[in-house]
Amino acid sequence: ISTRPGGRGESYLHELVLLPSLSPEKGHWDGYRFYIPKLKVRYDLPDVAEQYDGYNRVCGYETPCAYENSCPNLGCLNELEKEAYIKAVAELLSNEEKSKCKSYLVSEEEFDHGFFQTAEITDEEYRGVQQTLITDKFLKTLVQKVGKCPVKNLLEGKCSGNVTLPSCLGEKQIKCNPDYPYRTYDGTCNNLHHATWGSRGRPLKHPIAPCYSDAVSKPARSIFNAPLPQNRKLVREVASTLEQIGARSSAKISMFLVFLSELVNTDMIGRATKRVRHPTAGFRGCTADGSDRSACVSTLSNPLRVLPKDDCFDPIGVGCLNFSPQENSNDQCELKHVGQRNAESSYLDLSSVYGKQPSYDSNGKLELFTCGGTRPIVESEPSSVQFFALGGLFGQLHNYCVDQVRSCGQSKGPVEERCRAFTIGVYQKIIYEQLLPFLFGEQFYSQCGFDCEYNPHVEASVSQLYKSAAGRFQHIWIPETLFYMPNGDRRSLPFHEFFHNTEKYDCNGVLAGAVESPISINRFTDAYQCLFYSVDGKRGTCLTCIDLARNREAGLCPLLTYKHYLEELFGEQDSSKCYSNFEDLQDMFNPEIIKLMKNMYHSPADIDAMFCNLDRRLPSGASLPKFVAQATCLEFKRLKCTDRFFYTRNPNLGEGARKLISNLDLTVLLALFTNLHEVPTQPLIVDSTKVEAAK
């Protein structure tokens, strides 16, 4: 019907083809069916991200540094690097001292003890952290000396290619055995030509250059160079507005889907807070009572302010919320935009369940703890008992597989590795054949086109846009309460209660309750932005505020910039739309939200990317807003197409294993590994039809 040339050097063909549909039952043609070709969309991320000016160009905004072609003189590079080295070492030593001093640490009596826990780092990791910090200090000094625009050109590769600080060590050489038939645990050697791609510790990547106000690290400002709205005030105003329009509405989607999505995100994104030699349960930014900023604040914390008259926190005297920045990864000291460190492998390989290295008993079984959770799961913070129980299904599947294989009396290869490959295969099948079709709806899922071959030329990585904005979609579905159903006895408990004393819960009752608990929609509940991680239900933290802070900390560009970027990528006909005033936002937001945005922001072009989750455009049959669905499509397409061991192409899975994987889904896992008498045929939907588990 129509064709339209797309951007980025490709052509996009958009057709709606009407084909006669044959009804086998009736034996004659009975109308027409729609056929929508799959979108041939680029899903790779650039190694050197450049500023995206498509939206500014269309809408007539001035793009910073657009006509500035100067480059910094790096003749003083050695001198600046020595200065940066001294500053970096001094900061690391200072952090080490603070990690031993109680006045800098969150104490066990405080509600968020463990919320921002920091893991210890090995000698090799320490060198990477040090080199990243040296480069960070170097760039901050350089931008002070020569200005933002020359440094921006340098970071975007417009001056000289592959510039690195000369004293940095080269990348560790990893030798891969191409004949070894199993995955590594840290993600290395999945790509035989680029051994580190997708591995633990790699940086998250930017689809377009980050919008730091100084090009290096300072959070973005308005296009009129004014500060963006204050974090907590903005969150509370949005919550209040949603409450007024919303409708305390709920949906038929179950909280089981939320916990499954969180399990998947945790597997592909391990959030690394800035780390030191000594593990801690969190660095303090605020006083113990939360009334104000602490006098003992290190570079490892960056507390968030709470303004007076806040209806959640003001009555209890809280004016400060703890917050820990996340760690960048620039271990090779490259002078380019870098992302935050990913502490897990990018691949969908249950790395958050299996851990950093193999850990089995003499039979090849995993050690299981609360609700079947493995040690990496139960030691993660913050995690609810529902998260343990859902992740525990896969830990139990691994051990079940070991028992079955050993009962055969023979095995072609290590039992634990065969069962790990099998368990990951079931997990991947559930993601791509159960979770994503439900989130996307049939039409958009078909368009996204997941039937790709292995592509060794694209790096397996996670984008900052997904990690800090689009991938937070499940957070806005959190209700005030969840059902807990031990022995079929239905109780309703506050959401925050499930994060503490997890060993007291009946695991079957936890999963049964998650399946029957509907999500909340059109709201930021108090459980989400007033009481998160609370112990007593009186004082908690603000998960929404943390999401927004991560959004800005990562240098994410404004929402409309990414919207334009995605729509150009998907070849959409209305991608040239310019939002010249706030009223133009009516295609994305409710009128009340638009009015709020107008009161809080200077321009529609300033709105934070995190609010993509409030996009009211929904693809047909989808559960995700259009913006979120598009960003998620690219993310999961990249992870599947770059995985040499993806279960549909893994040559080490035999015919029997493939057949078993095709028959296993969430319903079967619930039947196998819980004591539920009846299990839902659609666990992602509340009030799903149930069948007897024994059958």
Side-chain angles (χ1 to χ4, degrees):
I1 294 179
S2 66
T3 61
R4 175 183 181 273
R8 307 178 76 85
E10 296 184 41
S11 293
Y12 293 86
L13 180 64
H14 289 264
E15 298 177 290
L16 184 63
V17 184
L18 295 176
L19 299 175
S21 177
L22 176 64
S23 170
E25 292 80 10
K26 299 178 183 177
H28 59 81
W29 302 103
D30 64 348
Y32 296 89
R33 63 183 172 87
F34 295 107
Y35 170 69
I36 303 173
K38 294 178 177 62
L39 303 176
K40 295 182 179 179
V41 182
R42 284 187 53 167
Y43 54 81
D44 58 316
L45 292 166
D47 189 48
V48 180
E50 295 185 23
Q51 178 178 335
Y52 180 77
D53 63 355
Y55 180 72
N56 287 352
R57 190 174 61 249
V58 167
C59 300
Y61 296 120
E62 182 178 345
T63 300
C65 304
Y67 306 106
E68 173 66 73
N69 298 317
S70 64
C71 290
N73 181 355
L74 296 180
C76 59
L77 187 145
N78 287 334
E79 180 183 337
L80 290 181
E81 186 181 1
K82 289 177 183 177
E83 181 182 334
Y85 175 83
I86 293 170
K87 290 180 179 178
V89 171
E91 182 173 312
L92 288 170
L93 291 174
S94 174
N95 290 340
E96 290 299 326
E97 288 303 310
K98 290 176 174 58
S99 70
K100 303 172 188 175
C101 181
K102 289 184 179 180
S103 58
Y104 284 93
L105 303 177
V106 178
S107 68
E108 291 186 27
E109 292 74 32
E110 295 174 60
F111 81 94
D112 51 0
H113 178 77
F115 188 88
F116 296 110
Q117 67 175 359
T118 59
E120 63 181 328
I121 49 181
T122 64
D123 289 342
E124 185 176 324
E125 288 173 326
Y126 186 87
R127 284 193 294 272
V129 171
Q130 182 187 67
Q131 292 181 183
T132 292
L133 192 54
I134 291 170
T135 314
D136 213 32
K137 302 285 186 189
F138 173 87
L139 291 172
K140 287 176 181 176
T141 303
L142 186 64
V143 80
Q144 290 172 356
K145 288 184 177 293
V146 304
K148 177 177 70 175
C149 295
V151 173
K152 179 180 176 298
N153 290 334
L154 174 68
L155 296 175
E156 295 183 12
K158 297 173 183 175
C159 296
S160 53
N162 298 324
V163 180
T164 61
L165 297 182
S167 66
C168 272
L169 303 173
E171 187 167 8
K172 180 182 177 182
Q173 296 301 309
I174 299 172
K175 292 183 178 180
C176 300
N177 178 359
D179 298 320
Y180 184 69
Y182 303 108
R183 293 176 182 272
T184 60
Y185 285 75
D186 62 0
T188 55
C189 293
N190 193 313
N191 188 308
L192 295 174
H193 301 288
H194 304 277
T196 60
W197 279 9
S199 63
R200 182 185 300 274
R202 295 284 291 181
L204 302 168
K205 298 185 75 171
H206 290 277
I208 59 180
C211 291
Y212 291 116
S213 59
D214 66 344
V216 175
S217 64
K218 290 183 179 178
R221 296 173 67 86
S222 158
I223 60 171
F224 301 113
N225 201 34
L228 293 176
Q230 198 270 343
N231 180 305
R232 172 63 188 172
K233 180 175 175 57
L234 175 58
V235 164
R236 199 57 188 143
E237 291 293 334
V238 172
S240 178
T241 301
L242 290 173
E243 182 76 22
Q244 292 169 20
I245 62 180
R248 292 181 180 258
S249 50
S250 62
K252 288 297 183 182
I253 298 173
S254 78
M255 282 295 292
F256 193 92
L257 179 141
V258 172
F259 293 114
L260 176 61
S261 300
E262 275 290 312
L263 177 71
V264 174
N265 276 1
T266 303
D267 177 42
M268 60 196 272
I269 311 167
R271 302 165 184 85
T273 54
K274 295 187 175 182
R275 301 168 297 162
V276 288
R277 294 280 192 175
H278 305 281
T280 76
F283 283 88
R284 169 170 294 142
C286 308
T287 56
D289 62 1
S291 59
D292 202 354
R293 185 182 174 96
S294 171
C296 301
V297 177
S298 73
T299 56
L300 298 162
S301 60
N302 183 21
L304 304 176
R305 291 178 60 211
V306 176
L307 298 181
K309 299 182 180 179
D310 186 288
D311 57 347
C312 280
F313 293 118
D314 197 54
I316 57 174
V318 172
C320 178
L321 298 171
N322 284 325
F323 175 73
S324 293
Q326 295 192 340
E327 187 176 280
N328 282 339
S329 177
N330 193 359
D331 300 3
Q332 307 312 311
C333 305
E334 297 165 296
L335 299 187
K336 66 178 184 180
H337 291 296
V338 298
Q340 294 168 342
R341 189 181 302 277
N342 191 350
E344 297 288 353
S345 64
S346 299
Y347 299 105
L348 297 167
D349 58 0
L350 288 173
S351 54
S352 60
V353 172
Y354 283 98
K356 298 179 182 180
Q357 60 270 325
S359 180
Y360 305 101
D361 66 16
S362 57
N363 289 316
K365 286 187 174 183
L366 293 164
E367 185 181 12
L368 304 182
F369 298 87
T370 301
C371 296
T374 58
R375 186 178 297 277
I377 287 182
V378 299
E379 290 181 350
S380 61
E381 291 281 357
S383 288
S384 68
V385 66
Q386 289 89 350
F387 189 81
F388 298 165
L390 202 151
L393 294 178
F394 296 98
Q396 292 180 82
L397 177 62
H398 173 96
N399 288 355
Y400 177 79
C401 170
V402 170
D403 286 337
Q404 299 303 310
V405 173
R406 290 205 177 279
S407 70
C408 297
Q410 58 182 359
S411 174
K412 299 176 182 177
V415 173
E416 62 273 16
E417 294 302 341
R418 292 186 64 197
C419 285
R420 176 167 167 255
F422 170 73
T423 303
I424 293 172
V426 174
Y427 168 70
Q428 291 180 333
K429 177 261 176 97
I430 286 172
I431 293 172
Y432 285 90
E433 297 184 29
Q434 199 166 5
L435 175 62
L436 292 180
F438 183 86
L439 291 173
F440 288 171
E442 183 178 350
Q443 180 176 315
F444 185 72
Y445 180 82
S446 176
Q447 283 181 279
C448 197
F450 286 113
D451 55 345
C452 54
E453 299 295 325
Y454 171 58
N455 187 346
H457 306 295
V458 171
E459 181 175 355
S461 58
V462 179
S463 75
Q464 289 281 180
L465 173 62
Y466 183 79
K467 177 257 181 188
S468 297
R472 305 273 70 80
F473 66 85
Q474 60 271 55
H475 284 183
I476 67 168
W477 288 345
I478 294 173
E480 297 285 9
T481 60
L482 289 179
F483 288 134
Y484 171 51
M485 301 172 61
N487 302 314
D489 175 26
R490 178 179 295 197
R491 309 174 197 170
S492 183
L493 298 178
F495 178 72
H496 66 82
E497 287 196 14
F498 293 99
F499 286 83
H500 304 280
N501 302 318
T502 53
E503 65 282 349
K504 72 181 181 183
Y505 291 99
D506 171 74
C507 301
N508 298 315
V510 161
L511 287 173
V515 169
E516 295 301 325
S517 297
I519 66 167
S520 177
I521 60 174
N522 297 329
R523 292 185 68 206
F524 283 177
T525 60
D526 285 352
Y528 172 51
Q529 46 88 47
C530 292
L531 291 173
F532 189 72
Y533 207 63
S534 171
V535 174
D536 57 8
K538 296 178 181 178
R539 179 190 168 194
T541 193
C542 172
L543 185 56
T544 334
C545 301
I546 292 172
D547 286 346
L548 181 55
R550 297 268 185 254
N551 183 125
R552 294 176 178 179
E553 176 195 23
L556 289 196
C557 296
L559 170 62
L560 296 181
T561 301
Y562 283 116
K563 177 179 179 291
H564 190 274
Y565 166 79
L566 286 174
E567 289 176 348
E568 281 286 303
L569 206 59
F570 277 83
E572 297 201 359
Q573 294 184 359
D574 62 348
S575 63
S576 60
K577 177 174 180 177
C578 175
Y579 294 81
S580 56
N581 56 62
F582 283 92
E583 285 66 33
D584 292 337
L585 292 166
Q586 60 186 336
D587 64 329
M588 289 191 72
F589 299 126
N590 288 323
E592 293 83 356
I593 293 293
I594 295 171
K595 183 179 178 180
L596 167 65
M597 296 295 183
K598 188 173 184 178
N599 290 333
M600 299 296 291
Y601 289 94
H602 291 89
S603 162
D606 295 333
I607 297 172
D608 288 278
M610 190 192 85
F611 295 111
C612 64
N613 288 307
L614 300 182
D615 182 2
R616 67 177 184 177
R617 302 170 302 158
L618 284 175
S620 176
S623 302
L624 294 181
K626 182 178 179 180
F627 180 107
V628 178
Q630 288 178 329
T632 304
C633 163
L634 298 180
E635 220 63 31
F636 283 83
K637 189 165 185 174
R638 179 168 55 255
L639 294 187
K640 177 180 179 181
C641 302
T642 58
D643 186 356
R644 179 166 65 101
F645 291 105
F646 194 81
Y647 84 96
T648 56
R649 64 175 73 97
N650 187 343
N652 305 301
L653 285 173
E655 183 180 347
R658 292 179 189 277
K659 186 173 182 180
L660 278 171
I661 290 172
S662 70
N663 285 298
L664 287 171
D665 60 11
L666 293 170
T667 301
V668 179
L669 295 188
L670 289 170
L672 280 171
F673 305 122
T674 70
N675 292 327
L676 299 176
H677 298 299
E678 291 185 321
V679 290
T681 57
Q682 295 288 340
L684 308 182
I685 300 175
V686 173
D687 296 329
S688 164
T689 302
K690 293 184 174 59
V691 295
E692 290 184 38
K695 293 184 178 181

